[in-house]
Amino acid sequence: MSMTDPIADMLARIRNAQHAQHPSCTMPGSKQKLRICQILKDEGYISDFSWQDDDKQGLLSVQLKYQGEEAAIEGMRRISRPGQRAYSRGKDIPKVHNGLGILIVSTSRGLMTDRAARRQGIGGELICSVW
């Protein structure tokens, strides 16, 4: 059975693993998921991630980050969906929780945070928000 939204599946797996307080979670990998994990690590939302080759598409393992009993990620939300894409210009990119969260944007220069897209003045598809 094919999956219609692999990014939403990734976010759900991370959210469910943190809710159950697992130290890590594993999911099928892709280049876009790898870049999202790199952004989450750079912003301090996850501890680390690793790529494991298998005979298919590869496995992405994400080590989750906790501050005591609390997860570093309070919430994640998919914004642009396959049935309803969401785009924004560079100057019109919304802020997440008054700047306390991040918005991952797919631009012509690759995936980046909302702050980087605003700084460069480029817009794109609004992938997901994390706070």
Short mmCIF file of all heavy atoms in Angstrom, two decimals, residues 12-43:
data_model
loop_
_atom_site.label_atom_id
_atom_site.label_comp_id
_atom_site.label_asym_id
_atom_site.label_seq_id
_atom_site.Cartn_x
_atom_site.Cartn_y
_atom_site.Cartn_z
N ALA A 12 4.04 12.34 12.67
CA ALA A 12 3.22 11.54 13.58
C ALA A 12 4.06 10.54 14.35
O ALA A 12 3.85 10.32 15.55
CB ALA A 12 2.13 10.83 12.80
N ARG A 13 5.04 9.92 13.69
CA ARG A 13 5.92 8.96 14.38
C ARG A 13 6.74 9.65 15.47
O ARG A 13 6.89 9.11 16.57
CB ARG A 13 6.85 8.28 13.38
CG ARG A 13 6.16 7.26 12.52
CD ARG A 13 7.14 6.68 11.52
NE ARG A 13 6.48 5.86 10.53
CZ ARG A 13 6.75 4.59 10.31
NH1 ARG A 13 7.68 3.98 11.02
NH2 ARG A 13 6.09 3.91 9.39
N ILE A 14 7.26 10.83 15.18
CA ILE A 14 8.04 11.57 16.18
C ILE A 14 7.14 11.99 17.34
O ILE A 14 7.50 11.84 18.51
CB ILE A 14 8.74 12.79 15.54
CG1 ILE A 14 9.83 12.32 14.58
CG2 ILE A 14 9.32 13.71 16.61
CD1 ILE A 14 10.46 13.43 13.77
N ARG A 15 5.96 12.50 17.02
CA ARG A 15 5.01 12.94 18.05
C ARG A 15 4.58 11.77 18.94
O ARG A 15 4.57 11.89 20.17
CB ARG A 15 3.80 13.57 17.36
CG ARG A 15 2.86 14.30 18.25
CD ARG A 15 1.76 15.06 17.50
NE ARG A 15 1.35 14.48 16.23
CZ ARG A 15 1.55 15.05 15.04
NH1 ARG A 15 2.16 16.20 14.94
NH2 ARG A 15 1.12 14.46 13.94
N ASN A 16 4.28 10.62 18.34
CA ASN A 16 3.86 9.46 19.11
C ASN A 16 4.99 8.91 19.97
O ASN A 16 4.77 8.51 21.12
CB ASN A 16 3.33 8.36 18.18
CG ASN A 16 2.03 8.74 17.52
OD1 ASN A 16 1.32 9.62 17.99
ND2 ASN A 16 1.72 8.07 16.42
N ALA A 17 6.21 8.89 19.44
CA ALA A 17 7.35 8.38 20.21
C ALA A 17 7.64 9.29 21.40
O ALA A 17 7.96 8.81 22.49
CB ALA A 17 8.58 8.27 19.32
N GLN A 18 7.52 10.60 21.23
CA GLN A 18 7.74 11.51 22.35
C GLN A 18 6.63 11.40 23.38
O GLN A 18 6.90 11.49 24.58
CB GLN A 18 7.87 12.95 21.86
CG GLN A 18 9.23 13.23 21.29
CD GLN A 18 9.52 14.70 21.19
OE1 GLN A 18 8.64 15.50 20.97
NE2 GLN A 18 10.77 15.04 21.36
N HIS A 19 5.42 11.19 22.94
CA HIS A 19 4.31 11.03 23.88
C HIS A 19 4.51 9.78 24.74
O HIS A 19 4.18 9.78 25.92
CB HIS A 19 2.99 10.97 23.13
CG HIS A 19 1.80 10.88 24.02
ND1 HIS A 19 1.41 11.92 24.84
CD2 HIS A 19 0.92 9.88 24.24
CE1 HIS A 19 0.34 11.56 25.52
NE2 HIS A 19 0.03 10.31 25.18
N ALA A 20 5.07 8.72 24.14
CA ALA A 20 5.34 7.48 24.87
C ALA A 20 6.71 7.51 25.55
O ALA A 20 7.11 6.53 26.16
CB ALA A 20 5.27 6.30 23.92
N GLN A 21 7.43 8.62 25.42
CA GLN A 21 8.76 8.85 26.01
C GLN A 21 9.78 7.80 25.58
O GLN A 21 10.59 7.33 26.36
CB GLN A 21 8.67 8.94 27.53
CG GLN A 21 7.89 10.13 27.98
CD GLN A 21 7.93 10.35 29.47
OE1 GLN A 21 8.34 9.48 30.22
NE2 GLN A 21 7.52 11.53 29.89
N HIS A 22 9.75 7.44 24.29
CA HIS A 22 10.76 6.56 23.73
C HIS A 22 12.04 7.36 23.47
O HIS A 22 11.98 8.55 23.17
CB HIS A 22 10.28 5.95 22.41
CG HIS A 22 9.17 4.96 22.58
ND1 HIS A 22 9.34 3.75 23.19
CD2 HIS A 22 7.87 5.01 22.20
CE1 HIS A 22 8.21 3.09 23.19
NE2 HIS A 22 7.28 3.85 22.60
N PRO A 23 13.21 6.73 23.56
CA PRO A 23 14.45 7.46 23.30
C PRO A 23 14.68 7.75 21.82
O PRO A 23 15.36 8.71 21.47
CB PRO A 23 15.54 6.53 23.84
CG PRO A 23 14.92 5.18 23.84
CD PRO A 23 13.44 5.38 24.05
N SER A 24 14.09 6.94 20.93
CA SER A 24 14.28 7.16 19.50
C SER A 24 13.10 6.57 18.73
O SER A 24 12.29 5.84 19.28
CB SER A 24 15.58 6.51 19.02
OG SER A 24 15.50 5.11 19.15
N CYS A 25 13.04 6.91 17.45
CA CYS A 25 12.04 6.31 16.57
C CYS A 25 12.67 6.10 15.20
O CYS A 25 13.58 6.82 14.81
CB CYS A 25 10.78 7.17 16.48
SG CYS A 25 11.00 8.78 15.75
N THR A 26 12.18 5.12 14.48
CA THR A 26 12.71 4.75 13.18
C THR A 26 11.60 4.84 12.15
O THR A 26 10.44 4.52 12.44
CB THR A 26 13.28 3.32 13.21
OG1 THR A 26 14.24 3.25 14.25
CG2 THR A 26 13.95 2.96 11.91
N MET A 27 11.96 5.29 10.94
CA MET A 27 10.98 5.46 9.87
C MET A 27 11.66 5.25 8.53
O MET A 27 12.88 5.32 8.45
CB MET A 27 10.36 6.85 9.94
CG MET A 27 11.35 7.96 9.71
SD MET A 27 10.82 9.54 10.33
CE MET A 27 11.04 9.32 12.07
N PRO A 28 10.88 4.99 7.47
CA PRO A 28 11.48 4.93 6.14
C PRO A 28 12.09 6.29 5.78
O PRO A 28 11.55 7.34 6.13
CB PRO A 28 10.30 4.61 5.22
CG PRO A 28 9.24 4.07 6.11
CD PRO A 28 9.47 4.68 7.46
N GLY A 29 13.21 6.27 5.11
CA GLY A 29 13.94 7.51 4.86
C GLY A 29 13.73 8.09 3.47
O GLY A 29 13.27 7.43 2.55
N SER A 30 14.07 9.37 3.33
CA SER A 30 14.11 10.08 2.06
C SER A 30 15.01 11.29 2.24
O SER A 30 15.35 11.66 3.36
CB SER A 30 12.71 10.51 1.61
OG SER A 30 12.22 11.54 2.42
N LYS A 31 15.39 11.91 1.14
CA LYS A 31 16.26 13.09 1.22
C LYS A 31 15.56 14.25 1.93
O LYS A 31 16.18 14.98 2.70
CB LYS A 31 16.68 13.53 -0.18
CG LYS A 31 17.67 12.61 -0.84
CD LYS A 31 18.05 13.15 -2.20
CE LYS A 31 18.98 12.19 -2.92
NZ LYS A 31 19.33 12.69 -4.25
N GLN A 32 14.27 14.42 1.68
CA GLN A 32 13.53 15.51 2.31
C GLN A 32 13.40 15.29 3.82
O GLN A 32 13.57 16.22 4.61
CB GLN A 32 12.15 15.67 1.67
CG GLN A 32 11.45 16.94 2.08
CD GLN A 32 10.18 17.17 1.30
OE1 GLN A 32 9.53 16.22 0.87
NE2 GLN A 32 9.81 18.43 1.14
N LYS A 33 13.15 14.06 4.24
CA LYS A 33 13.06 13.75 5.66
C LYS A 33 14.42 13.96 6.33
O LYS A 33 14.50 14.45 7.46
CB LYS A 33 12.60 12.32 5.88
CG LYS A 33 11.16 12.06 5.54
CD LYS A 33 10.84 10.60 5.78
CE LYS A 33 9.48 10.23 5.32
NZ LYS A 33 9.20 8.80 5.55
N LEU A 34 15.49 13.61 5.62
CA LEU A 34 16.84 13.80 6.15
C LEU A 34 17.12 15.29 6.36
O LEU A 34 17.68 15.68 7.40
CB LEU A 34 17.85 13.19 5.17
CG LEU A 34 19.22 12.89 5.67
CD1 LEU A 34 19.18 11.83 6.75
CD2 LEU A 34 20.09 12.40 4.52
N ARG A 35 16.72 16.13 5.44
CA ARG A 35 16.92 17.58 5.57
C ARG A 35 16.06 18.17 6.69
O ARG A 35 16.51 19.04 7.42
CB ARG A 35 16.61 18.26 4.24
CG ARG A 35 16.82 19.74 4.25
CD ARG A 35 18.28 20.13 4.46
NE ARG A 35 18.37 21.57 4.53
CZ ARG A 35 18.99 22.24 5.51
NH1 ARG A 35 19.63 21.61 6.44
NH2 ARG A 35 18.99 23.55 5.51
N ILE A 36 14.83 17.66 6.85
CA ILE A 36 13.98 18.12 7.95
C ILE A 36 14.63 17.78 9.29
O ILE A 36 14.66 18.60 10.21
CB ILE A 36 12.56 17.52 7.84
CG1 ILE A 36 11.82 18.15 6.66
CG2 ILE A 36 11.76 17.73 9.12
CD1 ILE A 36 10.50 17.51 6.33
N CYS A 37 15.18 16.56 9.39
CA CYS A 37 15.87 16.16 10.62
C CYS A 37 17.09 17.03 10.88
O CYS A 37 17.38 17.37 12.03
CB CYS A 37 16.27 14.69 10.56
SG CYS A 37 14.90 13.58 10.79
N GLN A 38 17.81 17.41 9.82
CA GLN A 38 18.98 18.29 9.99
C GLN A 38 18.55 19.65 10.54
O GLN A 38 19.19 20.20 11.43
CB GLN A 38 19.71 18.45 8.66
CG GLN A 38 20.96 19.31 8.76
CD GLN A 38 22.01 18.69 9.66
OE1 GLN A 38 22.37 17.54 9.48
NE2 GLN A 38 22.50 19.45 10.61
N ILE A 39 17.44 20.17 10.05
CA ILE A 39 16.93 21.45 10.55
C ILE A 39 16.49 21.31 12.01
O ILE A 39 16.81 22.17 12.84
CB ILE A 39 15.76 21.95 9.67
CG1 ILE A 39 16.29 22.36 8.30
CG2 ILE A 39 15.04 23.12 10.33
CD1 ILE A 39 15.22 22.68 7.28
N LEU A 40 15.79 20.22 12.34
CA LEU A 40 15.35 20.02 13.72
C LEU A 40 16.54 19.88 14.67
O LEU A 40 16.50 20.37 15.80
CB LEU A 40 14.45 18.78 13.82
CG LEU A 40 13.08 18.89 13.15
CD1 LEU A 40 12.34 17.56 13.25
CD2 LEU A 40 12.26 20.01 13.77
N LYS A 41 17.61 19.25 14.21
CA LYS A 41 18.81 19.11 15.05
C LYS A 41 19.49 20.46 15.22
O LYS A 41 19.90 20.83 16.32
CB LYS A 41 19.77 18.10 14.44
CG LYS A 41 21.01 17.90 15.29
CD LYS A 41 21.96 16.92 14.66
CE LYS A 41 23.22 16.84 15.52
NZ LYS A 41 24.24 16.02 14.90
N ASP A 42 19.63 21.22 14.14
CA ASP A 42 20.26 22.54 14.21
C ASP A 42 19.50 23.49 15.12
O ASP A 42 20.10 24.32 15.80
CB ASP A 42 20.37 23.16 12.81
CG ASP A 42 21.35 22.41 11.92
OD1 ASP A 42 22.16 21.61 12.44
OD2 ASP A 42 21.29 22.62 10.69
N GLU A 43 18.18 23.36 15.16
CA GLU A 43 17.35 24.23 15.99
C GLU A 43 17.21 23.71 17.42
O GLU A 43 16.61 24.37 18.26
CB GLU A 43 15.96 24.41 15.37
CG GLU A 43 15.98 25.14 14.04
CD GLU A 43 16.38 26.60 14.16
OE1 GLU A 43 15.99 27.24 15.16
OE2 GLU A 43 17.07 27.09 13.27
#
